[in-house]
Amino acid sequence: MRGIILAGGTGSRLRPVTQGVSKHLLPVYDKPMVYYPLSVLMLAGIRDILVISTPGDLPLFQRLLGDGSSLGINLTYAPQAAPRGIAEAFVIAAPFLDGEPCALVLGDNIFHGNHLSELLCTHTRLTDGCVLFAHPVADPERYGIGEVDTAGRLIHLEEKPVTARSNLAITGLYFYDGQVVDIARGLRPSPRGELEITDINLHYLAAGQARLVNLGRGFSWLDAGTYDSLMDAGQYIQTLERRQGIRIACLEEIALRRGYISPDDCYRLGERLSNSPYGQYVMDTAHSAGTLVAAP
């Protein structure tokens, strides 16, 4: 399975800050926002990842993340000239996907929970259909909402319902089989000229090939696309990290734990950031993982 991070758009809800920088590069407490969706794909064991952003912002992502080789992954980049809907990501990514199943995660979505990696990995072997990830919300009228039957099968999807049939909001994380590019190419644009992700999901639902995973209790899902939600996300990360002594979405640690890099590699990555608490954490993580050759 290959991965896509959609980090385009204008970030209009975060202006004037986003007039000078992509919202996906803004800090969520101690790291850039894009670290969080990238960490989700890495936790799922996905190593071939395409980052889609605006032509003007792509060089900034490349400067931050490079080609991914230092983390044992492969990062490539593609432009989205204008915000024409989430589903356009599959059309842009068609050469990269080459008919393979894929995971798409939105660049401003943050996921956290115990055993998240194990949960994601159980669905990366997807060969047909799609898997949508849902989370209960208090205000379902603001989201795309999924309804399941008593056996947990997805039976209904509706975007921002006036009267919701459930409180399960479809999050910004989606797994699809190799058909998704052709489905996206066949979509009719919305009145706003966008290719809607809900239309893709409805296509799979109509074919009886859509599954819903309810993240539920024990997991957190945050959308950092507004000032309030960005502050909430930062405070959430700060509270957990301070209380538990961990770093959420630490890419170097994930790469180390998954065996993509060695403790020495991890230590050297931390050294580059050694003046920051984040860098010190990376070096400490490398030390705790085993005997170091390069460390003093």
Side-chain angles (χ1 to χ4, degrees):
M1 179 172 275
R2 299 179 182 180
I4 304 168
I5 299 174
L6 182 57
T10 61
S12 58
R13 292 181 297 171
L14 288 170
R15 288 179 179 167
V17 174
T18 49
Q19 288 180 241
V21 65
S22 167
K23 75 172 178 180
H24 306 97
L25 296 173
L26 295 176
V28 178
Y29 186 47
D30 59 351
K31 61 193 73 72
M33 189 187 297
V34 72
Y35 272 40
Y36 296 89
L38 179 54
S39 75
V40 169
L41 297 180
M42 292 176 65
L43 286 170
I46 297 171
R47 301 178 73 171
D48 293 308
I49 299 168
L50 176 69
V51 179
I52 298 176
S53 189
T54 67
D57 288 325
L58 273 182
L60 302 177
F61 287 96
Q62 291 173 303
R63 178 181 176 185
L64 174 67
L65 301 172
D67 63 4
S69 58
S70 64
L71 297 169
I73 61 176
N74 304 305
L75 292 176
T76 53
Y77 301 85
Q80 185 182 38
R84 299 192 185 96
I86 296 172
E88 191 191 31
F90 302 111
V91 179
I92 295 170
F96 165 77
L97 295 177
D98 194 27
E100 294 293 320
C102 67
L104 170 68
V105 61
L106 301 186
D108 59 1
N109 274 219
I110 297 170
F111 297 86
H112 178 254
N114 197 26
H115 303 300
L116 177 60
S117 179
E118 292 90 334
L119 174 67
L120 297 175
C121 288
T122 61
H123 297 287
T124 55
R125 294 180 285 275
L126 176 73
T127 57
D128 64 283
C130 74
V131 177
L132 308 177
F133 295 85
H135 195 279
V137 294
D139 45 357
E141 68 279 358
R142 295 181 52 228
Y143 302 92
I145 297 296
E147 181 187 7
V148 295
D149 62 18
T150 54
R153 293 184 295 260
L154 184 64
I155 58 173
H156 183 75
L157 280 173
E158 187 175 0
E159 191 69 26
K160 297 181 180 178
V162 175
T163 304
R165 293 165 58 165
S166 88
N167 68 338
L168 295 177
I170 307 301
T171 70
L173 176 64
Y174 319 85
F175 287 7
Y176 296 101
D177 64 14
Q179 304 178 69
V180 69
V181 170
D182 289 337
I183 295 171
R185 284 172 169 162
L187 293 180
R188 178 176 297 178
S190 71
R192 295 184 299 174
E194 297 182 355
L195 300 182
E196 301 288 354
I197 193 73
T198 299
D199 291 339
I200 289 182
N201 297 336
L202 287 171
H203 185 283
Y204 280 102
L205 177 61
Q209 293 183 306
R211 285 166 278 172
L212 188 73
V213 174
N214 181 4
L215 295 176
R217 288 179 179 266
F219 291 93
S220 296
W221 167 54
L222 303 167
D223 175 346
T226 68
Y227 285 115
D228 286 342
S229 61
L230 182 62
M231 290 292 293
D232 289 343
Q235 290 170 353
Y236 173 83
I237 300 298
Q238 180 191 45
T239 299
L240 284 180
E241 292 190 352
R242 282 185 171 181
R243 190 163 293 175
Q244 299 181 10
I246 60 172
R247 297 279 165 175
I248 296 169
C250 178
L251 305 181
E252 297 84 356
E253 181 178 19
I254 296 170
L256 176 63
R257 303 297 186 206
R258 296 200 66 87
Y260 299 164
I261 61 176
S262 70
D264 284 305
D265 295 329
C266 186
Y267 188 88
R268 282 189 285 265
L269 292 173
E271 271 191 312
R272 300 175 189 176
L273 310 170
S274 60
N275 285 338
S276 70
Y278 182 95
Q280 288 294 326
Y281 177 84
V282 172
M283 290 190 291
D284 291 343
T285 299
H287 269 298
S288 67
T291 303
L292 298 171
V293 175

